């Protein structure tokens, strides 16, 4: 069991989880990512690595594999803990300490907030049946489309957020640019939950943390 307490634990290492991870770094949150497979990238690497995407904001065209590499590079510019080959089977919230216990096939993790980025409910029902049961037991509302969230991406419990294909929304909203926007919203609200004096919106990346030498090193600069 890992007793080290994290601010934000992100479950799922697809586009939503990886962008949430990057954003959590931007917000100075002590972050852990738990991914059930041995490779980060989610559907991009496991379902259609050689397809060309033409509808990702800012990219005229890019292969799924290359886009996954970019997501991973961006997510891992911060020193987050990344656990691969580890499947989450249960979540439990201790009301007294306000700490989440995240149980996996390898042990347990402790976190102040949790972001669920698990992929479509169809896939989750197959891979993470136990987790779905555990969430339902906690009172999280789940239907065929996914997990119900409010405008802050909160899933109905203190410090529990969800983003990407796993949330309940129309099927046509399951696409990458949407998942990443939701991931940023989930993390901003998780940060505010963990640290109530923090702003929900951190400012633009062009404005903040210019004092940090490793922040957004510009590869185009001389
Ligand atoms: C064939 C296909 C083509 C597509 N083409 C496009 C396109 O052209 N443009 C576009 O914008 N979108 C496209 N999409 C949709 C896009 O891939 C998804 O919207 C995107 O992957 C959602 O990201 P996500 O992180 O929410 O989910 P996913 O990418 O599914 O990632 C979820 C991750 O969570 C992990 N996970 C699940 N359960 C657990 C658990 N219990 N414990 C630990 N880890 C867990 C999974 O292993 C996975 O890595 C396509 C999808 C498919 C299937």
């Amino acid at each position: 069991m890992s007793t080290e307490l994290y601010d934000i634990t992100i479950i799922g290492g697809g586009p939503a989880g990886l962008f949430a991870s990057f954003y959590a770094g931007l917000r100075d949150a002590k972050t852990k990512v738990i991914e059930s497979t041995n490779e980060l990238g989610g559907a991009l690497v496991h379902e259609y690595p050689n397809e060309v995407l033409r509808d990702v904001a800012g990219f005229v065209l890019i292969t799924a594999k290359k886009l996954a590499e970019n997501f991973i590079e961006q997510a891992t510019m911060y020193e987050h803990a990344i656990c691969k080959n580890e499947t989450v089977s249960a979540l439990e919230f201790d009301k007294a300490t306000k700490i989440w216990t995240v149980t996996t096939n390898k042990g347990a993790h402790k976190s102040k907030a949790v972001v669920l980025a698990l992929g479509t409910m169809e896939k989750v029902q197959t891979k993470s049946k136990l987790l779905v049961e555990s969430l339902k037991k906690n009172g999280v509302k789940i239907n065929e489309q996914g997990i119900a969230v409010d405008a802050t991406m909160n899933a109905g419990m203190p410090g529990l957020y969800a983003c990407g294909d796993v949330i309940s929304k129309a099927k046509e909203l399951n696409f990458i640019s949407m998942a990443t926007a939701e991931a940023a919203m989930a993390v901003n609200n998780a940060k505010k939950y963990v640290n109530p004096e923090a702003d929900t919106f951190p400012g633009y990346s062009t404005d903040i943390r210019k004092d940090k030498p490793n922040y957004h090193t510009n590869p185009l600069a001389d």
Side-chain angles (χ1 to χ4, degrees):
M1 164 166 332
S2 163
T3 49
E4 200 175 339
L5 180 63
Y6 281 77
D7 291 329
I8 302 178
T9 294
I10 297 159
I11 306 173
L18 288 170
F19 197 66
S21 169
F22 161 73
Y23 223 83
L26 193 71
R27 299 301 314 261
D28 276 331
K30 186 175 176 184
T31 304
K32 181 179 272 181
V33 181
I34 304 177
E35 162 58 40
S36 65
T37 69
N38 64 357
E39 203 180 352
L40 296 172
L44 289 172
V45 296
H46 295 296
E47 294 186 51
Y48 57 104
N50 299 317
E51 298 294 335
V52 174
L53 292 96
R54 297 161 195 276
D55 58 355
V56 180
F59 290 97
V60 177
L61 56 87
I62 186 164
T63 64
K65 188 170 180 292
K66 175 65 186 150
L67 182 62
E69 284 167 11
N70 288 358
F71 269 117
I72 293 164
E73 185 180 348
Q74 191 179 33
T76 54
M77 61 191 285
Y78 298 101
E79 285 181 5
H80 298 325
I82 299 191
C83 310
K84 295 188 214 169
N85 275 322
E86 197 162 346
T87 302
V88 175
S89 54
L91 286 179
E92 200 182 330
F93 181 65
D94 185 321
K95 283 185 188 150
T97 59
K98 296 192 172 154
I99 290 173
W100 284 93
T101 300
V102 179
T103 304
T104 74
N105 55 321
K106 291 188 178 169
H109 307 264
K110 300 283 182 187
S111 193
K112 295 178 189 168
V114 173
V115 174
L116 302 166
L118 306 164
T120 58
M121 193 38 67
E122 204 182 336
K123 285 182 257 177
V124 174
Q125 290 285 10
T126 317
K127 176 178 278 192
S128 312
K129 232 183 173 121
L130 290 174
L131 177 56
V132 172
E133 280 166 24
S134 162
L135 290 168
K136 282 185 175 164
K137 219 168 89 187
N138 277 294
V140 174
K141 290 197 176 76
I142 301 179
N143 60 29
E144 267 176 30
Q145 273 80 46
I147 296 171
V149 292
D150 66 14
T152 70
M153 313 310 289
N154 180 270
M157 290 195 68
L160 184 66
Y161 299 85
C163 57
D165 285 4
V166 78
I167 69 169
S168 180
K169 59 187 173 186
K171 263 192 176 163
E172 59 268 28
L173 297 179
N174 283 344
F175 61 95
I176 290 161
S177 298
M178 178 67 95
T180 53
E182 292 162 357
M185 288 197 295
V187 167
N188 277 336
N189 287 294
K191 172 73 184 182
K192 178 90 185 158
Y193 168 80
V194 169
N195 183 358
E197 64 267 23
D199 290 326
T200 307
F201 179 56
Y204 293 114
S205 63
T206 43
D207 297 331
I208 54 178
R209 293 181 53 141
K210 284 187 174 151
D211 56 315
K212 301 272 166 97
N214 66 346
Y215 178 62
H216 268 193
T217 314
N218 181 359
L220 303 176
D222 289 333

